[in-house]
Amino acid sequence: MSTNGLIGRAIKRVEDKRFLTGHGNYTDDIVLPKQTYASFVRSQYAHARLLNVDTSAAKEMPGVVAIYTGTDLVDVNGVPCGWQVNFKNGDTMKEPKHPLLVADKVRHVGDAIAIVIAETIEQATDAAEAVMVEYEELPCVVDAAKAVQSGAPLVHDDVPNNKSFDWVLGNPIEEVNEAMRKAAHVSTLEFVNQRLVPNAIEPRSYNSSYDPATEKYTLYTSSQNPHLIRLLMCAFVLGIPEHKVRVVSPDVGGGFGSKIFHYTEEALLTWCSKKIGRPVKWTSERSESFLLDAHGRDHITKADMGFDANGKIVALRVKTYANLGAYLSTFSSCVPTYLHGTLMQGLYTTPKINVDVTGVFTNTTPVDAYRGAGRPEATYLLERLIDLAALEMNIDPADLRFRNFIPPFDGVNQPGYQTQVALQYDSGNYEGVLKKGLEMVNYAEVRREQQEAAHNGKLVGIGFSTYIEACGIAPSAIVGSLGCRAGLFESAHVRVQPTGKVSVYTGSHSHGQGHETTFAQVVADKLGINLNDVEIIHGDSEAVAFGMGTYGSRSLSVGGSAIIKSIEKIIEKGKKIAAHKLEASADDIEFSSGKFTVKGTDKSIGFGEVALTAYVPHVYPKDLEPGLDFSSFYDPANFTYPFGCHIAVVEVDKETGKVSLKRFIAVDDVGNVINPMIVEGQIHGGLVQGIGQALFEGAEYDENGQLTNASYMDYCMPRADDFPMFEMGSQVTPCPHNPLGVKGAGEAGTIGAAPAIVNAVIDALWSGGHKVKDIRMPLTSERVWHAMVDA
Amino acid sequence: MQLAGKYLLHAAPPKVWATLMNMDTLAKVVPGISRLEKTGDHTFKSILDIKLGPVSGSFTGNLQLDDLQEPSAFTLKAQQNSRIGNANAAIKINLSPVGTDDTEIVFDGDVKLSGMLASLGQRVMGGVSNTLTKQFFSNLEKELEKTPAS
C-alpha cells in the first residue's frame, strides 16, 4: 500500500478545536421537545431493608410528571454481567439480580430506591427530597476479607459467604508449594491495592425518548460503547427488539473504563420514556458520580515470590480477595481474574505460578474496570515483590530483573512466549526498555547521589517497574473460552464519496483518545489523500454498523485493523476501475501516493477520478458493481502486549514523611506509533493516574459503609504541580499479528507507574536504615512517617 | 463518630438536672432548635437547623432522655433525619458535684451519620460538634444564671 508519510507524524488533534472553543456536544447539551428531567431517591444506608417508600407527598409537588419505585419494576430484569467466571469446582459464579430500582433491600449507599420525573431538574430534585423512606438498618460489611468469614452480614441473602466465585489459574498449587519450599529465598508481601474513584470530568448523562409513531426508542448516553449498551439493554434488560432502538454516544468527556458498563439508569430512563411518552434526561451530580460510577481496584492480596540462590525466580503464589461491591457490574468478574491472573508471568521466566482469586460481594459501590483494569494490580504485585526481594537479598533491582527477563523475541522469527497463565505474548524486548531506562536516569550517578544523600541525612530512593499488559482486547474465540459472553472484534465501514472524500464509520468510540485524528492519519496515509478529506464518524448505532467500543487499549489495534481491511478492499476495487479506464489488466495496476498507475508506464489515474467513476459509471467494467464503499469486521488473532520500564526517583522528608517525586522516567514500547504526540499524551495521562494512586487517591469507607471522601474537598486528585516533567523514552517492537503493528497506549502509564513510586519510597527508607516492607497506598506523609517511626 | 468531653458548670447537680429536664430551657439551649414538641414523659419531637461545613439542613426527628438516674446520669438519644442524611446518636451524660456549688458534666457517646452528611460532612464534623457543644454549654450556663439557686 502507498503512504504519504502521515503515519508517524505528531499532527495536532483535529477534534480539539471544538472542545477548546466550547463547541463539543455532550449528552447533557441535548434538549429534546417535551423534555422531562429525572432525579433519584437513593439509599443513605449501606445495608437496610426498605419498610416503606411513601411517594404521596412528592407526587403532589409542582411539576411532577411521574414517580416510580422498585415495586413498579419487579417484573423488569436487572442489568447483566458480561463475563462468566466459574468456581474452582466448576459451579457458575453467583450473579444476583442488579435491579433498576430496589424493592426489597438496599445494598450500598446510593442504591436507587425511586425515580422522580418532573418538568424541570429543580422540581425533580425537590420532589425526590419529599419521598419518605423508612429503613430497617442491617449490619453491613465493606471489607472483602471480612465478608467471606462465617457470620458476616450477607449482601445477598442467597449468596453464602458473599462469594461470587473463587477462581484459580496457573500451575497446580502442589507444584508451586513444592518449588516455594525449595527456594533459597522467599519474599512475601501482604498488601491492599486500594479502591479508586474514576473521576471522569463529564458526569454520566442519559437522555432517552420513545416515539409512538415508529415505536422506536432513542437513547443518548455518555458511553464508551453505544452498541454494547444497545445489545445489553435490549436483549437482557428490557426485551426490546434491537432494531427499534438507536443509541447515540455524542462527545463524551472521559471514561477511564467507568463508562463501559451498562448502568441501571440507562435502562430505567428508557423504560420510563415509554411509560410517560416523553423524553427523560438525567445527569449525575458529582456526589452521585463518587457513589455510583463503578470504582476500580480494591484487592487484598498475599503473595510470595521464591528465588533460587542465583536470584532466579522459581515460583509465584498469589491469593487475592477482590471486592466486587454490592452487585456484578458489566465486566467486574473478568477484571480480577482474566485481566489480572493472566498477567502474573510479568516479564519473567517464572516456571511455577499459581494465582487464586475470590470475588466478594460487599455493601459498597460496584467495582469494575478502571484504566488498566486488573493489569495495574498484577503489575503492582509483581514489581513490588521483585524490588522488595532485591532489597532483602541485597541484589541490585535492575540486575535482579536482567537475571529473570524473558529473552527478546519478535513473534515472527522467534515464536511468541507461552506463559504459565494462559496467555501467549506476541513480541517483546524487555531488557531493551530497562537498558534504555537506566541510561536515561543515569543509574550509576543516581545511586551515587543516593549514597551521598544518605550520608547527609537525606532519604533518596530509586524505584523500578518493568511491566507488561494484555491489550487489543480481544480475540473472540479465546475470550469466549474464558467466559466472555460477547465477541470482542471491531467493525469499520469506509465510504468513499463521489468526489473522493472519505467517511469512516468506526465502532471505536472516541472520548479523549484522539481517534478522529489518528484514524484519519491512517486512512489518509493509506489512500494518499489529505487529512482533512477524511471524516471519522463514531458513536451512533444508526450510522455505524456495529461496534464493541473503546476500552482495554483496543481502538487502534482492533478498530484500526478493521479500517485497514476496508481500505484494502477499496484499493482492490479501485484497481479494477482504474484498469478499465487505463485499458490494462488489474494485475498490472499499482496504487501509490493516491495514484493508480500501470506498472512500468507513466499512465495513471488519480484516486478522486476512480471514486467519481465508481459513482458515475458511464465507462465501467461490466462485471463490477458501482460505488466505492466497504465494510469490514476484524477479530484479532491474539491480544497485544505492550510493555515498558518506569523509574521513579523520590526524596522522603525524614521529619514529616512527605514524599517528593524528583524524576519519573517512562520508556514504553507500544509497538508502531501513528501519532507520537497523542501516544505521549495518553502515557502522560496514564502516569498521572498511576502516580495518583500511589501518592494521593483512595476511596475511604467507614465501618458503616459510608463513603467518607465523596467530594473533591476530601478525595485527593493529582494536580499538575505534583509532578516533575516526565522524561519519556520509547522503543518499538511491532505487533506481529495486526496490519499496523500497533499494540496500544491508553493504559500503559497507569499500569506501570504506581509500583515504581512505592518501590522508590521503600528504597529511600531502606537507605536510611528503616527496613519497611510495605506502606499502604496512597503514601501520605502520615503513613510514611509512621512507617519510619514504627520500623 | 465519637463525641466526648467535659464541662464545668457553676451550679450544683440538682439545679443542672432540673434545668436540663425542663423542656422550655432545653428548647433554648440546644443550638439550632426551631421546634420542640413533647411526645411523652421524656421524649420529644424536634426540628433543628444546622450547618455542617459544606452542607446544611433541617433535621426532624426524635430526642429521648433515657436511663434517668436523678441527679447524676442520663442518656440522650437522638434520631434525626434530613435531606442531607440521617444522624443517630446515643450520648451518656454524667453529672458529678465539684465542691458544693459546681457540677462537672462528662459526656461520651457515638454519632452515626449517613448519606451526604457522611460523605461530605464527616471531615468537618469534629469541628462543628465542638462548636455546637460549646454553644450548648454556654447557653445552659446563661440559663442557670437566670434562675435563682434552689
Side-chain angles (χ1 to χ4, degrees):
Chain A
M1 261 189 272
S2 75
T3 157
N4 63 7
L6 279 168
I7 286 182
R9 275 175 54 192
I11 290 165
K12 284 191 179 168
R13 305 199 329 165
V14 297
E15 48 269 80
D16 283 348
K17 187 180 170 193
R18 73 173 188 276
F19 296 143
L20 295 174
T21 55
H23 289 92
N25 181 35
Y26 298 88
T27 299
D28 192 55
D29 293 326
I30 295 164
V31 180
L32 300 170
K34 295 167 73 187
Q35 185 74 60
T36 66
Y37 298 85
S39 181
F40 283 86
V41 179
R42 298 192 178 279
S43 174
Q44 296 196 1
Y45 295 107
H47 198 195
R49 212 166 288 290
L50 291 180
L51 300 179
N52 188 33
V53 181
D54 181 0
T55 59
S56 53
K59 277 185 174 144
E60 302 305 316
M61 302 273 287
V64 172
V65 176
I67 301 179
Y68 299 104
T69 66
T71 53
D72 298 311
L73 284 119
V74 281
D75 297 329
V76 179
N77 290 338
V79 288
C81 179
W83 199 303
Q84 181 182 315
V85 170
N86 292 338
F87 278 85
K88 286 174 200 163
N89 68 9
D91 287 354
T92 309
M93 69 182 183
K94 304 280 185 199
E95 41 183 332
K97 184 176 177 180
H98 185 183
L100 306 189
L101 289 173
V102 176
D104 53 350
K105 67 169 187 174
V106 288
R107 294 176 178 86
H108 68 93
V109 173
D111 220 353
I113 296 166
I115 181 170
V116 177
I117 302 166
E119 299 291 343
T120 69
I121 181 65
E122 292 79 9
Q123 288 170 333
T125 310
D126 285 349
E129 284 170 9
V131 173
M132 290 297 158
V133 184
E134 225 180 296
Y135 301 92
E136 179 198 341
E137 234 192 300
L138 300 168
C140 71
V141 63
V142 297
D143 177 294
K146 287 181 185 155
V148 295
Q149 288 166 10
S150 62
L154 292 184
V155 179
H156 300 274
D157 298 343
D158 52 353
V159 179
N161 300 110
N162 294 308
K163 280 187 194 176
S164 177
F165 54 83
D166 60 32
W167 173 92
V168 71
L169 186 71
N171 308 101
I173 187 68
E174 299 75 21
E175 291 178 17
V176 175
N177 288 344
E178 180 60 20
M180 204 66 81
R181 260 194 301 276
K182 289 182 184 158
H185 176 82
V186 177
S187 285
T188 299
L189 264 182
E190 286 182 62
F191 62 93
V192 172
N193 199 302
Q194 85 274 28
R195 182 182 281 243
L196 301 175
V197 178
N199 284 309
I201 196 165
E202 179 210 14
R204 284 188 296 123
S205 182
Y206 311 119
N207 194 350
S208 199
S209 59
Y210 177 72
D211 178 358
T214 56
E215 297 180 331
K216 276 188 80 167
Y217 297 85
T218 302
L219 168 67
Y220 292 93
T221 166
S222 55
S223 173
Q224 299 176 218
N225 29 245
H227 290 84
L228 196 59
I229 299 305
R230 187 182 60 161
L231 175 66
L232 294 173
M233 184 174 75
C234 292
F236 296 94
V237 187
L238 298 178
I240 319 171
E242 240 177 311
H243 63 293
K244 290 292 187 187
V245 179
R246 176 184 176 200
V247 178
V248 185
S249 293
D251 285 329
V252 172
F256 312 118
S258 73
K259 291 173 182 165
I260 298 171
F261 325 120
H262 181 29
Y263 286 92
T264 53
E265 292 93 354
E266 289 169 310
L268 182 59
L269 261 61
T270 303
W271 183 85
C272 290
S273 70
K274 186 178 180 187
K275 281 269 173 198
I276 65 165
R278 293 175 64 181
V280 191
K281 180 155 84 174
W282 171 74
T283 300
S284 168
E285 291 178 10
R286 184 56 68 182
S287 37
E288 284 179 306
S289 288
F290 270 99
L291 284 173
L292 300 166
D293 297 2
H295 292 169
R297 320 283 187 255
D298 207 344
H299 285 191
I300 299 173
T301 297
K302 179 172 189 279
D304 309 286
M305 192 178 260
F307 295 81
D308 69 12
N310 299 317
K312 283 281 276 183
I313 306 171
V314 293
L316 175 73
R317 184 170 55 207
V318 178
K319 171 69 203 165
T320 288
Y321 292 97
N323 196 332
L324 303 170
Y327 303 100
L328 286 185
S329 174
T330 311
F331 284 123
S332 57
S333 52
C334 78
V335 172
T337 53
Y338 291 104
L339 292 179
H340 173 243
T342 51
L343 265 293
M344 291 300 168
Q345 190 80 48
L347 301 180
Y348 314 115
T349 54
T350 313
K352 297 288 176 196
I353 300 171
N354 183 281
V355 47
D356 182 313
V357 179
T358 306
V360 185
F361 291 115
T362 61
N363 293 112
T364 60
T365 300
V367 179
D368 207 322
Y370 165 64
R371 202 169 191 173
R375 292 153 289 171
E377 295 92 313
T379 303
Y380 188 76
L381 183 159
L382 290 169
E383 296 307 301
R384 287 294 324 284
L385 268 173
I386 196 161
D387 258 37
L388 178 67
L391 286 168
E392 288 178 345
M393 296 189 290
N394 199 22
I395 300 174
D396 181 274
D399 179 29
L400 188 57
R401 283 177 172 79
F402 283 124
R403 293 185 200 187
N404 283 287
F405 277 147
I406 296 162
F409 61 106
D410 61 12
V412 181
N413 299 309
Q414 302 95 16
Y417 183 84
Q418 181 59 49
T419 70
Q420 302 298 318
V421 277
L423 300 179
Q424 191 183 48
Y425 294 166
D426 56 352
S427 58
N429 175 7
Y430 309 135
E431 44 193 60
V433 286
L434 179 53
K435 279 181 190 157
K436 185 144 193 178
L438 293 173
E439 279 168 29
M440 285 173 66
V441 76
N442 198 353
Y443 192 47
E445 177 61 18
V446 290
R447 282 290 178 207
R448 198 194 56 73
E449 285 169 11
Q450 179 186 32
Q451 280 181 0
E452 195 179 297
H455 189 72
N456 295 329
K458 283 187 171 176
L459 303 176
V460 169
I462 301 140
F464 290 87
S465 167
T466 46
Y467 71 90
I468 187 160
E469 45 174 333
C471 295
I473 290 175
S476 296
I478 296 180
V479 294
S481 72
L482 302 178
C484 184
R485 290 165 171 165
L488 290 172
F489 53 84
E490 196 48 270
S491 89
H493 180 176
V494 179
R495 174 173 297 158
V496 182
Q497 309 287 0
T499 53
K501 313 291 179 195
V502 178
S503 305
V504 179
Y505 301 84
T506 170
S508 302
H509 189 271
S510 184
H511 39 275
Q513 295 84 353
H515 295 171
E516 291 168 37
T517 309
T518 307
F519 287 6
Q521 276 179 262
V522 169
V523 173
D525 182 283
K526 296 296 183 192
L527 293 178
I529 58 179
N530 289 330
L531 190 71
N532 52 16
D533 286 343
V534 183
E535 174 87 355
I536 305 296
I537 296 129
H538 60 90
D540 184 342
S541 72
E542 297 259 287
V544 179
F546 201 75
M548 291 309 297
T550 293
Y551 41 83
S553 305
R554 69 190 301 270
S555 294
L556 193 57
S557 61
V558 187
S561 296
I563 293 174
I564 292 289
K565 279 185 78 175
S566 285
I567 287 174
E568 283 169 353
K569 292 174 191 173
I570 282 163
I571 292 171
E572 199 191 314
K573 185 170 179 181
K575 282 181 179 174
K576 289 180 187 163
I577 298 169
H580 188 80
K581 291 280 262 191
L582 297 170
E583 297 174 334
S585 155
D587 294 341
D588 291 334
I589 303 290
E590 55 186 14
F591 181 66
S592 174
S593 303
K595 271 187 190 168
F596 293 92
T597 308
V598 182
K599 278 180 204 161
T601 73
D602 58 357
K603 282 171 73 180
S604 71
I605 174 173
F607 179 74
E609 199 180 336
V610 166
L612 190 64
T613 306
Y615 288 93
V616 188
H618 296 166
V619 181
Y620 204 70
K622 279 198 172 56
D623 54 349
L624 210 58
E625 290 174 17
L628 202 50
D629 187 312
F630 283 100
S631 190
S632 305
F633 286 74
Y634 178 81
D635 198 354
N638 190 359
F639 292 88
T640 61
Y641 298 90
F643 56 92
C645 165
H646 292 177
I647 304 174
V649 182
V650 302
E651 189 177 328
V652 177
D653 187 311
K654 260 187 160 172
E655 307 300 325
T656 65
K658 183 174 165 47
V659 176
S660 308
L661 178 57
K662 295 295 177 193
R663 294 177 67 192
F664 199 93
I665 288 87
V667 184
D668 297 283
D669 189 330
V670 298
N672 288 338
V673 171
I674 307 298
N675 185 321
M677 183 198 69
I678 288 180
V679 167
E680 197 173 310
Q682 284 289 314
I683 291 171
H684 268 221
L687 291 176
V688 165
Q689 278 172 309
I691 300 169
Q693 172 171 23
L695 293 178
F696 310 109
E697 299 185 47
E700 296 289 341
Y701 280 91
D702 68 12
E703 70 281 5
N704 302 317
Q706 300 287 342
L707 181 60
T708 58
N709 57 344
S711 82
Y712 289 133
M713 290 179 287
D714 306 277
Y715 187 96
C716 186
M717 293 288 283
R719 292 160 194 247
D721 65 355
D722 292 319
F723 302 97
M725 289 302 288
F726 295 135
E727 298 167 57
M728 312 279 290
S730 67
Q731 174 183 287
V732 174
T733 307
C735 171
H737 63 75
N738 67 45
L740 288 165
V742 296
K743 290 194 169 188
E747 297 163 294
T750 321
I751 289 168
I757 299 285
V758 180
N759 285 339
V761 173
I762 300 277
D763 185 56
L765 298 197
W766 279 59
S767 79
H770 310 285
K771 299 202 169 180
V772 176
K773 282 176 78 162
D774 184 46
I775 307 174
R776 188 170 166 172
M777 295 189 290
L779 304 186
T780 58
S781 302
E782 185 193 5
R783 285 180 181 168
V784 176
W785 183 82
H786 270 293
M788 278 192 286
V789 170
D790 301 344
Chain B
M1 191 189 72
Q2 201 71 16
L3 196 64
K6 54 186 177 182
Y7 203 88
L8 190 71
L9 290 165
H10 300 297
K15 183 179 170 186
V16 175
W17 180 271
T19 312
L20 283 174
M21 293 300 139
N22 179 330
M23 192 184 97
D24 293 336
T25 44
L26 207 55
K28 285 184 208 157
V29 302
V30 176
I33 214 154
S34 66
R35 214 169 116 195
L36 193 66
E37 226 173 79
K38 209 169 163 114
T39 53
D41 268 356
H42 297 288
T43 57
F44 308 89
K45 220 174 138 176
S46 64
I47 298 180
L48 296 149
D49 294 306
I50 292 174
K51 186 161 165 49
L52 294 152
V55 288
S56 60
S58 180
F59 291 80
T60 55
N62 302 311
L63 293 174
Q64 192 189 350
L65 307 173
D66 207 9
D67 303 330
L68 298 163
Q69 297 159 39
E70 187 177 354
S72 57
F74 66 97
T75 302
L76 173 69
K77 289 183 178 166
Q79 298 93 38
Q80 298 292 320
N81 302 334
S82 79
R83 63 174 186 88
I84 57 165
N86 299 347
N88 241 315
I91 296 154
K92 183 126 186 75
I93 296 163
N94 282 298
L95 293 74
S96 42
V98 176
T100 49
D101 296 333
D102 291 350
T103 301
E104 186 185 57
I105 293 199
V106 178
F107 58 95
D108 189 7
D110 195 42
V111 185
K112 242 172 107 178
L113 303 172
S114 70
M116 211 185 279
L117 211 48
S119 57
L120 294 175
Q122 201 123 303
R123 183 172 47 90
V124 295
M125 270 307 280
V128 172
S129 58
N130 272 340
T131 311
L132 294 177
T133 321
K134 266 187 201 151
Q135 256 178 49
F136 172 82
F137 284 114
S138 79
N139 291 347
L140 182 60
E141 205 149 56
K142 279 180 208 149
E143 283 303 310
L144 290 167
E145 280 165 15
K146 279 190 214 162
T147 41
S150 51

